[in-house]
Amino acid sequence: MIVYVDIDGTICTEEKGVYQNAKPKMEQIEKINKLYDNGDTIIYWTARGTVTGVDWYNLTENQLRIWGCRYHDLRVGTKPHYDLWIDDKSKTIEEL
């Protein structure tokens, strides 16, 4: 299974654009790591920089490494900015 995972507000605190202050939510990270360990393809996909044009890739990659996140790909700044995502395949982290 290919799983796209949001970062801010999902596996770390939501810091309203001050991403260096984000704190990991280890229980949530462990859920995603378990999917990885079970053979799922994990792709972290964040809107960091989508609106501002700031490149947050290196900071984000470093945070994921420090937090112990296991994944196959990281996509930063390519996710559309939105207020609500409606999808028949969507789940919240709490549903995992």
Side-chain angles (χ1 to χ4, degrees):
M1 184 164 52
I2 299 171
V3 181
Y4 278 82
V5 181
D6 179 47
I7 295 176
D8 299 296
T10 303
I11 64 156
C12 68
T13 57
E14 175 68 55
E15 297 298 335
K16 306 294 184 204
V18 187
Y19 304 117
Q20 57 272 28
N21 291 344
K23 305 289 184 262
K25 295 180 179 181
M26 295 311 297
E27 182 178 329
Q28 311 303 36
I29 291 170
E30 289 171 13
K31 289 179 183 181
I32 304 305
N33 283 348
K34 186 173 181 178
L35 294 174
Y36 178 97
D37 293 341
N38 287 336
D40 294 319
T41 299
I42 304 300
I43 301 170
Y44 280 105
W45 192 26
T46 179
R48 291 178 174 189
T50 296
V51 174
T52 63
V54 175
D55 183 356
W56 292 103
Y57 188 91
N58 289 336
L59 174 86
T60 305
E61 182 180 47
N62 193 42
Q63 286 174 321
L64 295 180
R65 183 183 53 75
I66 290 169
W67 298 342
C69 299
R70 293 192 289 278
Y71 60 96
H72 297 90
D73 194 13
L74 170 61
R75 299 178 185 180
V76 178
T78 61
K79 182 179 177 185
H81 175 72
Y82 60 87
D83 294 306
L84 177 64
W85 186 285
I86 299 173
D87 192 306
D88 67 319
K89 295 180 181 180
S90 181
K91 286 189 178 191
T92 63
I93 190 83
E94 292 79 15
E95 295 174 284
L96 294 179

